[in-house]
Amino acid sequence: MTQEEYLAQVEATRAQRMAWWREARFGMFVHWGLYAQLGRNEWVMNRERIPVAEYESLAAAWKPKERPAREWARLAKDSGMKYMVMTTKHHDGFCLWDTQQTDYNAVRRGPGRDLVREYVEACHEFGLRVGLYYSLLDWHHPDGAQCAKDETARRRFLDFTQGCVRELMSNYGKIDILWYDGVWPLPDASAWESVQRNAMARQLQPELIINNRAFLEEDYGTPEERVTPAEQGRDWEACMTFNYAWGYMPSAIDWRSTREVISMLGTCAAGQGNLLLNIGPKPDGSVPEEAVEQLAPLGRWLADNGEAVYGAVDRVRGAMEGGWTIKGNVAYRWCPRWPGGELVIGGIRTKVNRITLLATGEPVQFWQGDQQLKMLNLPQRSPDPHAGVAVYKFECDAPPRQVLGSGYVVL
Ligand code: H79
């Protein structure tokens, strides 16, 4: 298959392949590997210049508990997440699956079992879509750096890379997402043989969704540690840490709050994107308590307010000011700051027929003038018991529009 044929096929099948993903909104990222034992982030081997042989000893020492992936998947499900993405190999090169490409893997070393298989089974058990993260960059493989300088090394390393991806796409049943990362040190898609590898992956997994981190734009963009929408028409997913570290790092003690995660979800839904929120499990696989603490109320909040979050949404930018998500003739007003008895909204240009509190369906009295809409007789305290973020559903006559601008001009 030529590159043109490949790209045409990817384009032609995208809408159908991405249908579930575009409605899912929220996924769990899991960074788990040897580095968890050091507890100083997933870049520790590079940042502390740990010799390969010394770092390798972590492989023999790693003894995770029984099937921690079930814990992650249960937590993801209860938190309102619809899919997961797990590191099968991070930049440190340790493979969490039963690979024939290297013996630096979880079956042959300390764990003595296939941690990717356990993860995939856990996703299935809890009804979650399955994503596999794979780092092209490899600090352990002898050709991982040499490949940039030596064609023989590059050939060996690419055979290794293609072999790894072939196994991941062949041995674990249906895989929903292939999440590449780390393109150092090769310069482009051609050097990484990305078209060949992705074409192979898609042949093995016809429904596969692939991210944009192997020098091909593929299915979606991946802003990291920022929630910035892509241009209209381009799918995107913000990958975000929970405590400003990807791998387990007990010293990283500032956790994003439930309310911050809700705010990120709002920005994603307003921009037709997804949120991939990370956890970095401990060496034994258990989830840091702080993550569970913030996710528990989030799950309850989503159970009440999911209609404003999941499913096909329209872009807010250009239609409304911030603080909304929209679907057709319906607008959802997110209220993280509670004003008390009356809420006044300016500049709504569409006739509003009905306003209800999304969580309960309880109608709200309101008055709509030309430039102002006043919601009346509201409670003094936020009616949302989970996170203090109430959502109101506005049913309108037409696709909602709000015009405020920076000046004060009565139109
Ligand atoms: O897997 C996570 C990161 O390890 C990986 N992508 C996410 C999903 C990633 N690889 N490279 N980068 C992110 C960009 C590189 C950032 C760096 Fe640094 C800045 C490398 C060195 C300085 C971050 C901060 C890592 C060490 C210090």
Side-chain angles (χ1 to χ4, degrees):
M1 190 185 323
T2 67
Q3 176 158 342
E4 287 67 39
E5 284 167 343
Y6 171 71
L7 294 176
Q9 183 196 319
V10 170
E11 290 287 334
T13 57
R14 178 167 298 133
Q16 182 265 325
R17 289 182 295 103
M18 297 286 283
W20 73 264
W21 190 95
R22 289 173 177 167
E23 307 221 323
R25 195 72 59 222
F26 193 21
M28 175 183 277
F29 213 169
V30 180
H31 275 69
W32 196 46
L34 300 180
Y35 41 83
Q37 294 175 91
L38 298 178
R40 298 193 296 277
N41 222 341
E42 78 291 351
W43 269 74
V44 62
M45 183 180 176
N46 165 287
R47 295 289 94 182
E48 298 183 11
R49 281 291 184 265
I50 302 174
V52 173
E54 185 185 326
Y55 192 88
E56 265 197 22
S57 66
L58 294 170
W62 198 21
K63 296 286 180 194
K65 67 178 174 183
E66 210 179 305
R67 293 193 175 263
R70 293 189 69 236
E71 232 176 84
W72 317 335
R74 178 180 288 118
L75 178 64
K77 186 76 181 177
D78 290 348
S79 308
M81 294 157 171
K82 309 294 187 189
Y83 62 104
M84 297 182 69
V85 178
M86 185 194 65
T87 50
T88 64
K89 172 174 92 77
H90 203 268
H91 309 340
D92 69 0
F94 187 72
C95 297
L96 275 67
W97 78 98
D98 187 8
T99 177
Q100 305 303 305
Q101 309 303 319
T102 171
D103 73 351
Y104 197 46
N105 72 61
V107 174
R108 302 284 286 274
R109 303 289 173 107
R113 22 194 262 262
D114 187 329
L115 300 172
V116 171
R117 185 167 303 283
E118 292 182 8
Y119 158 77
V120 172
E121 286 173 2
C123 290
H124 290 158
E125 182 181 345
F126 289 91
L128 299 161
R129 297 277 184 163
V130 184
L132 302 182
Y133 168 108
Y134 181 85
S135 170
L136 298 164
L137 159 57
D138 194 312
W139 298 322
H140 176 269
H141 194 290
D143 298 316
Q146 269 310 106
C147 62
K149 299 176 199 142
D150 170 353
E151 177 52 26
T152 317
R154 193 192 69 88
R155 185 66 266 143
R156 276 195 306 263
F157 189 53
L158 261 296
D159 289 345
F160 166 82
T161 302
Q162 311 302 62
C164 284
V165 172
R166 178 181 294 280
E167 290 173 354
L168 290 169
M169 295 298 122
S170 303
N171 299 344
Y172 300 92
K174 183 161 184 271
I175 299 300
D176 298 294
I177 299 167
L178 175 55
W179 213 103
Y180 287 119
D181 199 10
V183 288
W184 185 89
L186 296 176
D188 52 30
S190 149
W192 278 114
E193 301 179 356
S194 291
V195 169
Q196 294 92 318
R197 186 177 51 257
N198 289 2
M200 176 259 291
R202 291 190 186 284
Q203 204 157 27
L204 294 163
Q205 299 283 345
E207 310 266 275
L208 189 66
I209 294 170
I210 304 181
N211 78 347
N212 68 337
R213 294 200 177 188
F215 285 123
L216 295 175
E217 285 306 308
E218 284 288 354
D219 292 320
Y220 66 95
T222 52
E224 178 168 328
E225 284 294 59
R226 57 197 166 82
V227 189
T228 42
E231 72 276 18
Q232 179 125 36
R234 171 82 176 148
D235 291 292
W236 62 280
E237 172 196 70
C239 56
M240 303 296 291
T241 61
F242 215 136
N243 59 336
Y244 306 90
W246 295 102
Y248 178 56
M249 190 160 182
S251 65
I253 57 174
D254 299 306
W255 289 77
R256 295 190 210 268
S257 66
T258 307
R259 289 166 56 82
E260 280 175 86
V261 179
I262 290 173
S263 164
M264 293 192 291
L265 276 172
T267 307
C268 290
Q272 293 177 313
N274 284 3
L275 176 64
L276 188 63
L277 180 65
N278 183 71
I279 59 163
K282 299 177 186 181
D284 73 354
S286 47
V287 180
E289 293 73 19
E290 295 91 336
V292 177
E293 257 167 51
Q294 299 306 325
L295 287 175
L298 179 68
R300 294 192 289 269
W301 185 89
L302 278 165
D304 276 357
N305 298 289
E307 187 184 310
V309 176
Y310 304 115
V313 288
D314 297 306
R315 287 238 168 180
V316 168
R317 202 169 164 197
M320 307 286 278
E321 302 285 332
W324 301 88
T325 52
I326 50 181
K327 292 180 174 180
N329 289 1
V330 175
Y332 302 90
R333 172 77 177 193
W334 299 44
C335 305
R337 294 175 187 156
W338 189 250
E342 193 173 294
L343 176 58
V344 182
I345 300 170
I348 296 188
R349 310 304 303 154
T350 323
K351 181 173 182 296
V352 178
N353 297 323
R354 196 172 133 81
I355 304 178
T356 48
L357 180 64
L358 180 58
T360 61
E362 196 187 320
V364 174
Q365 292 171 26
F366 68 98
W367 169 89
Q368 184 173 22
D370 181 40
Q371 287 290 327
Q372 281 192 314
L373 186 147
K374 295 186 179 181
M375 296 165 65
L376 308 167
N377 299 322
L378 296 171
Q380 285 306 313
R381 308 264 302 265
S382 172
D384 174 51
H386 311 299
V389 185
V391 178
Y392 287 95
K393 177 175 182 174
F394 287 53
E395 293 167 64
C396 307
D397 248 4
R401 260 175 54 74
Q402 183 184 25
V403 181
L404 287 170
S406 307
Y408 187 78
V409 181
V410 177
L411 300 171

